[in-house]
């Protein structure tokens, strides 16, 4: 799968490239920090997916680029990756036919989910000449939710332990208001970093934990977690 990244922030573009290359079958064919140059390339080259930031330059945004692509008949699939979360930006992006919208900062797991969803849909579309209603429903299906509208806290995902979950939640609650890395949480709770990350991902789904990516670490970006108190 041929992928292009467009982001004015060189560091974030590099991180997104690393994320993308972890997905089997993905080939990052170009990275751009300027929307006009990206448009010229996309006009002349076939691309399967575009990872697009909204805030590029003051006179030419990612949505401007996407609008010009559509006007020129380019129906390249697009995943927006942006810190801009205003309603008008999200609404316009979906009207222009994007497949997903990731709000910075986001976890690698959320990035992976967006990519895998796209790859599954793409594979399904290429495998058939005609669709039944059931086929379409599967393409558009989202993860099943409980009747309450969110994942149930009382029914743990397979492989998770209530005692461990309680201990991690208790620790995060006592440190409410502080962003903590998985290393810090692991050190203070006695669990491994891998265990902490697995439970953090689960708690993020439950909206009990929020996360952000800290790019000011002097080295590799670090994911930090905070208790939301919900």
């Amino acid at each position: 799968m041929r992928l292009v990244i467009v982001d004015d922030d060189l560091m974030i573009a590099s991180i997104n490239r690393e994320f993308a290359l972890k997905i089997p079958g993905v080939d990052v064919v170009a990275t751009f920090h300027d929307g006009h140059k990206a448009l010229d390339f996309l006009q002349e080259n076939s691309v399967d997916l575009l990872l697009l930031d909204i805030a590029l330059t003051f006179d030419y945004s990612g949505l401007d680029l996407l609008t010009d692509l559509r006007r020129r008949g380019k129906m390249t699939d697009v995943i927006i990756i942006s810190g801009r979360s205003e309603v008008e930006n999200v609404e316009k992006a979906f009207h222009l036919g994007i497949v997903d919208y990731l709000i910075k900062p986001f976890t690698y797991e959320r990035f992976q989910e967006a990519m895998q969803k796209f790859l599954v849909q793409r594979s399904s579309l290429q495998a058939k000449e005609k669709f039944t209603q059931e086929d379409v429903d599967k393409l558009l299906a989202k993860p099943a939710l409980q009747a309450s509208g969110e994942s149930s806290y009382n029914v743990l995902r397979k492989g998770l332990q209530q005692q461990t979950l309680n201990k991690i939640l208790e620790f995060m609650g006592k440190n409410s208001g502080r962003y903590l890395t998985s290393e810090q949480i692991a050190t203070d709770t006695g669990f491994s970093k891998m265990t902490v990350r697995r439970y953090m991902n689960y708690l993020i789904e439950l909206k009990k934990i929020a996360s952000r990516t800290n790019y000011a670490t002097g080295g590799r970006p670090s994911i930090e977690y905070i208790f939301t108190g919900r």
Side-chain angles (χ1 to χ4, degrees), residues 5-228:
I5 297 171
V6 183
D7 197 306
D8 67 320
D9 189 310
L10 275 65
M11 179 179 291
I12 295 178
S14 177
I15 292 168
N16 289 340
R17 184 178 186 276
E18 289 184 20
F19 279 0
L21 290 175
K22 291 181 180 180
I23 310 295
V26 172
D27 179 20
V28 180
V29 296
T31 299
F32 295 95
H33 311 297
D34 177 274
H36 294 290
K37 293 180 180 179
L39 180 63
D40 291 340
F41 179 88
L42 294 167
Q43 183 65 28
E44 300 297 330
N45 296 273
S46 175
V47 172
D48 298 304
L49 181 64
L50 178 63
L51 301 185
L52 178 63
D53 185 20
I54 288 181
L56 297 177
T57 57
F58 72 94
D59 63 337
Y60 196 68
S61 71
L63 292 179
D64 292 330
L65 167 58
L66 183 51
T67 299
D68 284 342
L69 283 174
R70 298 303 186 237
R71 285 174 178 167
R72 298 182 186 195
K74 291 288 185 178
M75 300 309 296
T76 306
D77 285 313
V78 175
I79 294 177
I80 294 289
I81 295 181
S82 177
R84 303 294 297 271
S85 58
E86 298 86 352
V87 171
E88 58 268 26
N89 287 320
V90 177
E91 184 177 28
K92 183 174 182 180
F94 277 102
H95 283 167
L96 289 169
I98 66 167
V99 298
D100 210 334
Y101 197 116
L102 305 188
I103 298 174
K104 302 174 184 176
F106 53 88
T107 64
Y108 172 70
E109 288 75 18
R110 180 62 180 88
F111 178 90
Q112 185 181 41
E113 175 189 326
M115 292 292 291
Q116 289 179 339
K117 177 182 176 182
F118 167 74
L119 289 170
V120 168
Q121 288 184 340
R122 180 170 175 264
S123 176
S124 297
L125 288 170
Q126 292 178 338
K128 292 179 177 290
E129 294 183 359
K130 189 175 180 179
F131 281 80
T132 65
Q133 184 63 58
E134 183 180 2
D135 292 331
V136 174
D137 291 343
K138 287 181 179 178
L139 276 179
L140 299 177
K142 294 182 179 181
L145 300 178
Q146 301 295 324
S148 62
E150 64 180 23
S151 299
S152 172
Y153 174 59
N154 296 319
V155 182
L156 282 181
R157 180 177 297 164
K158 184 177 180 181
L160 301 184
Q161 300 295 324
Q162 188 68 55
Q163 185 176 359
T164 302
L165 182 65
N166 290 343
K167 186 173 181 178
I168 290 176
L169 266 178
E170 181 182 3
F171 173 77
M172 295 301 293
K174 288 180 179 178
N175 289 275
S176 179
R178 293 178 56 201
Y179 276 96
L180 300 168
T181 66
S182 57
E183 288 81 2
Q184 291 172 314
I185 300 168
T187 297
D188 288 342
T189 60
F191 300 118
S192 70
K193 289 186 292 185
M194 184 176 296
T195 295
V196 168
R197 287 171 184 155
R198 186 165 68 249
Y199 280 83
M200 286 295 109
N201 291 337
Y202 177 68
L203 289 169
I204 287 171
E205 292 180 15
L206 297 184
K207 303 187 184 303
K208 295 181 180 294
I209 295 291
S211 67
R212 71 180 184 185
T213 303
N214 183 355
Y215 298 102
T217 60
R220 294 180 64 85
S222 176
I223 297 176
E224 299 176 334
Y225 306 94
I226 192 169
F227 182 66
T228 64

